[in-house]
């Protein structure tokens, strides 16, 4: 059921980190829509010793003058909006949705290089920016389901998109009668209030839960695709590979598998309001990933090791300067990823719930083997063509 088209969206809520407390967060919001009122009641003090000030959201607005979007206007269940559609995960979600017959709309920021590949695939591209809430409502008209893959860019403050933008998006979704909302979060985000990005993800989970939207939250451990640029390409190009001396283990998963499992979960009506965690078949240390890449590439890596103690010291130093505070926030996340933690989760129950055969999930060995086989074949073909050109001339 579609809701009324908002005429105005106020500034999204502020998120405050209170020093001296266990990362106490509080927020206030003013978002207005007609005939709509949310008063989420956050009672989270029992979680990790954290307490929260509940937001009060009052909604009032008029529908667009030229169009009637009154409650009761039907929308197709196959109509979805993918937010963050150009990202590593987002593009796989778009591709999977199109392959399964969904009508796909992609929310992307205005950019110098248009996202033409999404249009070429058959999706509709709409321009909006989560950091500008007034651009959001028009993109939701006629949408049944939102799949939220978005995250902030490295050069912008973490809370701009991952907190303020997400809260504005959730508020708009509720006001306009979006039927389903899928939110991707981070595994173990509730266990690290000292890391801003993970704390924001956890708070967004709770905000979404208390919004009353029909939603599914999916926590992720790591993407296999990220290992290509981080390890595979530098090894092939004989450049430095950066790592740490920590025994962190991460259960990387192919984003194509994540997308496939997401749509299986989306169609399961028994998963309303559920929290799922998707993890790959095995958790890997950095050194194990590098060793695997070396074997498949047939050459040694030039490894530069950064001690975890250096990350900690750098983060502490950057906290002293306002203009480096966001760098410190991101280093805090890197520090967690470089600890002795295991970013993985048992998947047997999830596979059973979704009706998925674990054998159908791509392993890291298979993923990297396919990558190196393809890239080495291309390099071999290029060398052969080069030799033929030399002979011809």
């Amino acid at each position: 059921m579609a809701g009324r088209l908002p005429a105005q969206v106020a500034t999204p809520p502020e998120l405050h980190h209170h020093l001296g407390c266990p990362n106490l967060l509080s927020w206030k919001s003013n978002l207005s829509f007609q005939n709509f009122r949310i008063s989420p009641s956050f009672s989270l003090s029992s979680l990790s010793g954290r307490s929260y000030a509940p937001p009060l959201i009052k909604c009032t607005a008029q529908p667009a003058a030229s169009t009637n979007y009154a409650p009761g206007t039907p929308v197709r269940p196959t109509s979805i909006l993918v937010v963050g559609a150009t990202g590593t995960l987002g593009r796989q979600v778009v591709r999977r949705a199109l392959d399964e017959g969904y009508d796909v709309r992609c929310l992307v920021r205005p950019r110098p290089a248009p996202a033409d590949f999404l249009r070429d695939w058959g999706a509709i591209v709409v321009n909006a920016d989560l950091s500008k809430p007034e651009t959001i409502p028009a993109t939701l008209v006629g949408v049944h389901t939102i799949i939220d893959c978005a995250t902030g860019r490295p050069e912008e403050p973490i809370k701009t998109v991952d907190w303020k933008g997400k809260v504005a998006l959730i508020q708009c979704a509720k006001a306009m009668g979006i039927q389903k909302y899928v939110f991707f979060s981070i595994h173990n985000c509730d266990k690290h209030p000292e890391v801003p990005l993970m704390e924001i993800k956890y708070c967004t989970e709770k905000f979404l839960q208390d919004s009353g939207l029909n939603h599914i939250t999916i926590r992720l451990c790591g993407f296999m695709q990220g290992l290509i640029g981080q390890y595979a390409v530098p090894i092939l190009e004989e450049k430095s590979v950066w790592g740490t001396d920590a025994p962190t283990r991460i259960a990387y998963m192919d984003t194509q598998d994540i997308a496939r499992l997401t749509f299986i979960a989306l169609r399961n009506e028994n998963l309303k309001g559920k929290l799922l965690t998707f993890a790959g078949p095995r958790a890997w240390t950095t050194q194990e990933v590098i060793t695997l890449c070396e074997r498949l590439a047939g050459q040694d890596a030039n490894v530069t090791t950064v001690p975890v103690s250096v990350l900690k010291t750098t983060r502490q130093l950057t906290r002293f300067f306002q203009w480096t505070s966001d760098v410190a926030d991101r280093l805090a996340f890197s520090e967690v990823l470089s600890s002795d933690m295991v970013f993985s989760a048992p998947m047997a129950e999830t596979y059973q719930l979704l009706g998925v055969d674990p054998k159908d999930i791509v392993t890291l060995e298979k993923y990297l083997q396919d990558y190196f086989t393809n890239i080495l074949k291309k390099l071999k073909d290029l060398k052969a063509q080069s030799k033929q050109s030399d002979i011809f001339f």
Side-chain angles (χ1 to χ4, degrees):
M1 306 284 273
R4 292 182 180 273
L5 179 65
Q8 62 180 5
V9 180
T11 304
E14 290 295 329
L15 178 149
H16 305 281
H17 293 267
H18 297 270
L19 300 178
C21 302
N23 224 37
L24 176 67
L25 297 180
S26 65
W27 51 78
K28 292 183 292 184
S29 179
N30 262 322
L31 183 57
S32 295
F33 297 93
Q34 184 178 2
N35 300 328
F36 182 65
R37 176 185 176 89
I38 313 176
S39 297
S41 176
F42 285 74
S43 178
L44 306 178
S45 57
S46 60
L47 295 173
S48 304
R50 283 174 275 178
S51 59
Y52 294 76
L56 178 62
I57 307 165
K58 298 180 180 179
C59 304
T60 60
Q62 298 298 324
S66 59
T67 309
N68 179 18
Y69 294 105
T73 304
V75 295
R76 294 186 301 274
T78 56
S79 175
I80 69 170
L81 175 71
V82 180
V83 185
T86 59
T88 302
L89 176 59
R91 63 183 61 198
Q92 296 299 340
V93 169
V94 171
R95 195 61 185 262
R96 186 75 194 188
L98 290 168
D99 289 345
E100 295 194 9
Y102 286 88
D103 303 312
V104 183
R105 188 182 304 177
C106 301
L107 188 157
V108 300
R109 300 193 207 192
R111 49 197 287 169
D116 289 336
F117 71 94
L118 296 173
R119 295 187 181 90
D120 293 341
W121 289 352
I124 296 173
V125 176
V126 293
N127 287 332
D129 191 336
L130 295 188
S131 66
K132 299 177 181 178
E134 68 276 8
T135 67
I136 298 173
T139 69
L140 304 186
V141 177
V143 169
H144 181 277
T145 299
I146 292 175
I147 302 182
D148 179 5
C149 310
T151 192
R153 294 169 176 166
E155 67 271 14
E156 63 189 356
I158 289 175
K159 67 181 181 181
T160 300
V161 169
D162 287 289
W163 174 246
K164 294 180 179 180
K166 295 304 180 78
V167 168
L169 179 61
I170 291 168
Q171 291 173 326
C172 288
K174 178 65 178 179
M176 296 186 66
I178 297 299
Q179 297 297 294
K180 293 184 179 180
Y181 193 111
V182 178
F183 174 62
F184 289 106
S185 188
I186 301 174
H187 179 52
N188 280 340
C189 62
D190 54 323
K191 295 180 172 60
H192 293 280
E194 77 282 4
V195 180
L197 178 59
M198 299 182 81
E199 175 75 337
I200 286 172
K201 288 289 187 183
Y202 179 62
C203 290
T204 306
E205 289 181 6
K206 293 302 176 184
F207 193 84
L208 177 59
Q209 180 181 344
D210 281 22
S211 73
L213 281 167
N214 177 2
H215 71 281
I216 301 173
T217 296
I218 301 174
R219 292 182 179 179
L220 305 174
C221 297
F223 302 155
M224 291 182 183
Q225 280 73 6
L227 301 176
I228 300 302
Q230 191 171 4
Y231 300 115
V233 172
I235 288 175
L236 288 171
E237 295 182 348
E238 299 182 356
K239 295 181 179 179
S240 292
V241 173
W242 296 85
T244 70
D245 55 358
T248 314
R249 306 185 75 89
I250 300 175
Y252 300 100
M253 198 171 196
D254 187 347
T255 53
Q256 292 187 22
D257 281 333
I258 294 172
R260 180 168 64 90
L261 266 58
T262 295
F263 282 99
I264 294 174
L266 187 62
R267 291 188 291 269
N268 190 330
E269 295 299 329
N270 295 323
L271 295 182
K272 178 179 179 180
K274 293 292 186 181
L275 171 63
L276 303 175
T277 298
F278 290 172
R282 174 190 162 186
W284 295 73
T285 65
T286 297
Q287 186 53 55
E288 287 172 339
V289 173
I290 292 173
T291 300
L292 177 60
C293 289
E294 287 178 322
R295 177 170 62 82
L296 295 172
Q299 60 191 69
D300 293 335
N302 178 20
V303 182
T304 300
T305 301
V306 179
V308 175
S309 58
V310 172
L311 286 177
K312 291 181 179 179
T313 302
T314 304
R315 179 162 69 98
Q316 291 169 353
L317 288 174
T318 54
R319 284 290 185 199
F320 286 110
F321 306 99
Q322 182 180 358
W323 58 87
T324 59
S325 60
D326 292 305
V327 175
D329 289 346
R330 297 185 186 279
L331 284 173
F333 185 56
S334 299
E335 187 180 317
V336 170
L337 292 179
S338 302
S339 64
D340 58 355
M341 291 190 60
V342 177
F343 279 81
S344 183
M347 286 290 291
E349 184 177 345
T350 301
Y351 289 145
Q352 184 176 5
L353 187 65
L354 299 179
V356 173
D357 188 340
K359 295 179 182 178
D360 293 335
I361 302 300
V362 174
T363 64
L364 184 59
E365 295 97 329
K366 179 68 167 62
Y367 177 81
L368 288 176
Q369 183 179 35
D370 288 347
Y371 170 79
F372 279 105
T373 299
N374 291 332
I375 199 70
L376 290 174
K377 182 180 183 302
K378 289 179 180 178
L379 290 173
K380 183 178 179 181
D381 291 344
L382 286 173
K383 288 182 180 179
Q385 292 175 7
S386 178
K387 286 183 179 179
Q388 288 179 351
S389 298
D390 290 342
I391 293 173
F392 179 78
F393 287 106

